[in-house]
Amino acid sequence: MLRPSTPADPSARPAPDLLAPAAATAAGPHRWWRDAVIYQVYVRSFQDSDGNGIGDLAGVRTRLPYLKRLGVDGIWLNPFYTSPQHDHGYDVADYCSVDPRMGTLDDFDRLAEDCRLLGLKLILDIVPNHCSSEHPWFREALQAAPGSSERALFHFADGRGERGEEPPNNWRAMFGGPAWSRVREADGTWGQWYLHLFTPEQPDLNWRRPEVAAEFERILRFWLDRGADGFRIDVAAGLHKHPDLPDSPDPDADERTRDSVNPLAWNQPEVHQVWRHWRAICEEYTARDGRDRLLVGEASVPTAAEQAAYLRPDELHQAFFFHLLHAPWDAAHFHRVIDDAVRDIATTGSTVTWVLNNHDQVRTTTRFAAGDPVRGAARARAAALLMLALPGAAYLYQGEELGLPEVDDLPDEVLTDPIYHRTGSRTGIRDGCRIPLPWSGPQPPFGFGPHDGPQPWLPQPAYFAAHTAERALTDTASSWHLYREALHLRRVLPQLGEGPLRWLEAPPGVLAFTRGDGLLCAVNFGDQAAPAPVDGEPLLASGPCPAGTLPPATAAWWMRAAITPPGASV
Ligand code: NOJ
C-alpha cells in the first residue's frame, strides 16, 4: 500500500510550502544552473592526448561529443593551472595559465569554443583559500622580512616558546601534521611560521588584505573573458580565519573528521563579503551579454541550515550538498538528508546541488557495499536514479556513468595522495577514485593515452576492461545507458528538475516520492524484494523489475498514468 504520507508521520512529513520553489524564483526567468546536471572532469585522469601519461585539455576536447551524447548540461574542470601538483592542481602557482603538462591557453580557448558550440556550460575550479608555495607571492614573502607587506598576504606569525620553536597555535592541518611550517629567514636561521590548512606546499592566503581580493577579481575576469560560465569554488567556507588565530579547543578535529570543523579556521562571517563581491562580478557579466554565470561553492559546513547562509540571493548561486554523499546506504538516512536539504535550501531561493561521487570520495559502487561489487554496483545505480529524480541540480563524477569501482588495492609505491604521504595511513586517500578512465580496448591504457606512451600516472587494473566506455555504449543494460536515459527524461519531463517533492508512505526500507503531479520514484534499500508501489511498467529502472515487485537495491520511475490519485490507496 502506498499513499501520501501524513504529517502525523514526522519522519515523512511532506512540508509542501518548503518543498516548492521560492516564489521569487518561480516568477523569474529560468536560470540554467537551477536544475542542471554537470559532469565533473578530473582533467589528469580523463584523456591524455599528448602521451605524457597525464590527461589534458586537448583530450577533454576530443571527448566532448561523448559527454554531449550522455546528455549532461555542462562540465566542471578540476584545476588545470600551472602547479607543482603536490595536491594535483589544488596548489596553484599561476592562476591565469595552463599547466604545460595539460596544455596551453590556446587549448583552453578551443575547448571553450567547442563547449559553446555544443551547448555545454563550462565551469572552472578556482582555489582562493591557498596557493602554491611556488606562487610568486609566496616566494617573495619568503625573501621578505617579518612584518613586511609581502608576508602580510599570508598568515606569518612568530612561534611560541623561548626561541619561537613552537607553532603559533595548536591547529592541525586537514591532511595531517601541524597547520604551521617554520621558515628559514634570509640569514639562514629558523624564523617565523606560516599557516597552511592543507599541506605545507599550500600556504593559506590572508583574505583580510585587499590585494588578495583584487587579485582574485582579476583572475575571475581573466577566465570569464575567455568564456567560462562559472566557477566551482574550492574551500568556500574557508578564506578568513579568526583574526587572533587562537588555540582551538579541539585541535585535531579537522584531521580526525577530514572535514572543515575548526570553528576558528572556517565559516567566519567575513567570508560572505567575498561571495557578495564575486556574485556582483558575475551579475555584471550577465547584464552585459545575457549569459547567466554560476558560482557553486564547496562550502562544507555542518548543517544544511548553515549552508543556506552561503546561498542568500546576493551570494553563491549554489553549494554542493555533501550530506547525500556522506549518507550510508540506508533509507531513513537518505530520507532525512533529502528532507533537510530541500527544506533548508528552498528558503534561500537557490536549489539543492546533489552529489554522490567526486574526486575526494570512495566511489559509490564500492562505498555502498565494500567487498561485494555486484551489490555495490546495483546500489550505486539505484542511488543515481534516486538523485536524478530529486529537485535541483546534480553533479556526476567522471566514470560513475561507467560503473567504475574504487581501486582500493594500489601498491603503496604508486600512491600520490598527500594524505597518504603526510599521515602514513590509507584512510581517506583519494588515488583510488582518480584512476585514469578506461575508454576502449582490452588492456591498459584502455584508450586513455597512446599505447606506445608512458603508463598513465596511476595504474589501471586489468578488470577496467569490463568498464570501458566502448563496451558500455554497446550494452544497453550498462550504467551509461541508464544515466543517458535518466538525463534524457530530465530534459523532456517537466516534473523532473526543479519543483515540488512529496513523500509517499512506503514499506520499511523503501523510499517513495512523487515529483510534480506526474512522476513517482521508488527505491528499495532493503535486501528483500518489496511490492512495487504501482502496477505497470516503470518508465525507467536501475535493474530488472519483474511485474509487481521492486527488487532489492533497485530504483524505478513510473509515470502518472500508473499512479493512483493522492489520498487513495494504490
Ligand atoms: C577540496 C578539493 O576537492 C580537494 O581535492 C583538495 O585537496 C582540497 N580542497 C584542498 O584544495
Side-chain angles (χ1 to χ4, degrees):
M1 294 278 272
L2 227 135
R3 59 175 67 93
S5 58
T6 63
D9 173 3
S11 68
R13 68 197 183 285
D17 292 339
L18 293 171
L19 296 176
T25 318
H30 181 75
R31 309 187 83 181
W32 62 265
W33 45 265
R34 298 185 65 81
D35 55 7
V37 177
I38 304 291
Y39 185 99
Q40 180 189 351
V41 175
Y42 194 70
V43 181
R44 278 182 81 82
S45 300
F46 193 66
Q47 177 71 65
D48 171 18
S49 75
D50 60 4
N52 63 0
I54 295 175
D56 47 48
L57 295 183
V60 177
R61 183 167 168 244
T62 65
R63 296 295 183 183
L64 290 182
Y66 165 89
L67 297 173
K68 186 69 189 173
R69 217 170 143 194
L70 182 62
V72 295
D73 299 299
I75 58 175
W76 148 33
L77 301 177
N78 281 102
F80 53 77
Y81 320 109
T82 302
S83 159
Q85 305 284 328
H86 288 287
D87 190 18
H88 295 330
Y90 285 97
D91 47 325
V92 183
D94 179 354
Y95 287 84
C96 296
S97 69
V98 176
D99 190 294
R101 286 159 286 193
M102 295 188 180
T104 63
L105 278 175
D106 282 346
D107 290 336
F108 175 83
D109 291 342
R110 281 190 279 269
L111 174 64
E113 174 64 1
D114 280 7
C115 284
R116 195 185 62 76
L117 290 172
L118 287 169
L120 290 169
K121 302 292 180 190
L122 180 58
I123 310 300
L124 307 189
D125 205 322
I126 191 135
V127 189
N129 179 67
H130 46 265
C131 60
S132 160
S133 51
E134 293 186 22
H135 189 285
W137 275 4
F138 193 71
R139 287 168 177 251
E140 284 159 21
L142 290 182
Q143 298 304 317
S148 60
S149 56
E150 287 87 350
R151 288 204 175 177
L153 300 179
F154 298 89
H155 298 279
F156 276 85
D158 294 333
R160 299 198 285 205
E162 253 175 53
R163 292 177 309 284
E165 70 279 14
E166 299 291 332
N169 70 23
N170 66 356
W171 298 1
R172 305 278 298 171
M174 186 81 100
F175 292 169
W180 295 90
S181 288
R182 196 171 188 189
V183 302
R184 292 229 182 237
E185 301 298 357
D187 62 3
T189 58
W190 284 111
Q192 287 194 300
W193 298 72
Y194 68 91
L195 178 70
H196 50 84
L197 293 183
F198 293 89
T199 70
E201 293 81 15
Q202 293 165 295
D204 280 47
L205 288 156
N206 180 2
W207 273 85
R208 296 181 192 279
R209 296 292 304 188
E211 298 93 323
V212 175
E215 175 62 0
F216 274 88
E217 173 165 355
R218 184 183 76 84
I219 295 163
L220 291 186
R221 290 182 185 280
F222 178 86
W223 292 109
L224 289 168
D225 288 341
R226 292 191 104 93
D229 291 294
F231 300 96
R232 175 266 187 195
I233 304 167
D234 192 57
V235 185
L239 276 56
H240 293 79
K241 280 79 195 169
H242 188 289
D244 304 331
L245 300 171
D247 272 346
S248 166
D250 186 4
D252 68 352
D254 284 4
E255 184 184 350
R256 191 177 62 239
T257 61
R258 210 46 57 67
D259 209 348
S260 40
V261 290
N262 176 354
L264 306 161
W266 302 92
N267 210 6
Q268 303 295 301
E270 296 89 338
V271 77
H272 294 283
Q273 294 159 15
V274 179
W275 308 139
R276 284 189 204 109
H277 181 54
W278 287 27
R279 178 67 176 253
I281 295 170
C282 287
E283 299 299 342
E284 178 196 315
Y285 274 78
T286 301
R288 203 185 293 167
D289 63 13
R291 281 172 46 210
D292 210 6
R293 305 308 200 285
L294 166 69
L295 296 173
V296 55
E298 186 207 28
S300 203
V301 287
T303 64
E306 283 169 273
Q307 194 179 64
Y310 287 77
L311 300 174
R312 286 174 284 200
D314 59 348
E315 297 199 30
L316 303 180
H317 301 83
Q318 290 181 318
F320 295 113
F321 183 69
F322 287 134
H323 296 248
L324 191 70
L325 182 141
H326 294 307
W329 180 252
D330 174 78
H333 204 112
F334 266 65
H335 188 294
R336 191 168 59 248
V337 298
I338 292 168
D339 243 7
D340 286 353
V342 173
R343 186 187 58 242
D344 291 328
I345 304 306
T347 59
T348 67
S350 181
T351 51
V352 186
T353 305
W354 306 102
V355 49
L356 281 167
N357 288 284
N358 69 22
H359 64 294
D360 291 331
Q361 301 295 331
V362 174
R363 287 184 180 274
T364 38
T365 301
T366 303
R367 198 168 79 222
F368 287 149
D372 188 343
V374 173
R375 181 180 291 194
R379 289 177 173 178
R381 288 165 60 103
L385 206 53
L386 164 64
M387 176 175 79
L388 292 172
L390 294 173
Y395 278 67
L396 309 180
Y397 175 49
Q398 68 179 42
E400 70 173 273
E401 82 282 13
L402 301 175
L404 286 188
E406 183 82 1
V407 177
D408 50 15
D409 58 355
L410 290 166
D412 290 351
E413 58 277 14
V414 306
L415 296 177
T416 69
D417 192 333
I419 294 179
Y420 173 71
H421 292 288
R422 292 193 59 74
T423 62
S425 152
R426 285 175 167 259
T427 308
I429 63 167
R430 303 162 296 170
D431 289 307
C433 66
R434 299 173 175 181
I435 306 296
L437 281 195
W439 290 99
S440 57
Q443 66 214 13
F446 299 114
F448 167 70
H451 267 290
D452 48 4
Q455 286 303 301
W457 69 279
L458 279 174
Q460 299 158 302
Y463 63 79
F464 264 28
H467 292 282
T468 62
E470 185 181 44
R471 279 180 72 147
L473 284 159
T474 54
D475 173 7
T476 53
S478 69
S479 294
W480 194 88
H481 282 278
L482 177 70
Y483 276 79
R484 179 165 123 115
E485 189 64 18
L487 296 180
H488 169 71
L489 291 172
R490 273 179 75 99
R491 269 199 310 281
V492 297
L493 292 177
Q495 293 88 350
L496 289 167
E498 211 174 336
L501 173 153
R502 194 175 297 270
W503 293 106
L504 301 173
E505 280 183 9
V510 173
L511 288 187
F513 56 87
T514 55
R515 295 299 321 282
D517 59 357
L519 187 121
L520 187 155
C521 172
V523 190
N524 184 354
F525 285 80
D527 287 329
Q528 305 295 326
V534 285
D535 290 333
E537 182 92 351
L539 185 64
L540 184 62
S542 66
C545 271
T549 64
L550 185 60
T554 304
W557 294 357
W558 287 265
M559 278 306 286
R560 181 184 177 83
I563 302 173
T564 306
S569 34
V570 289

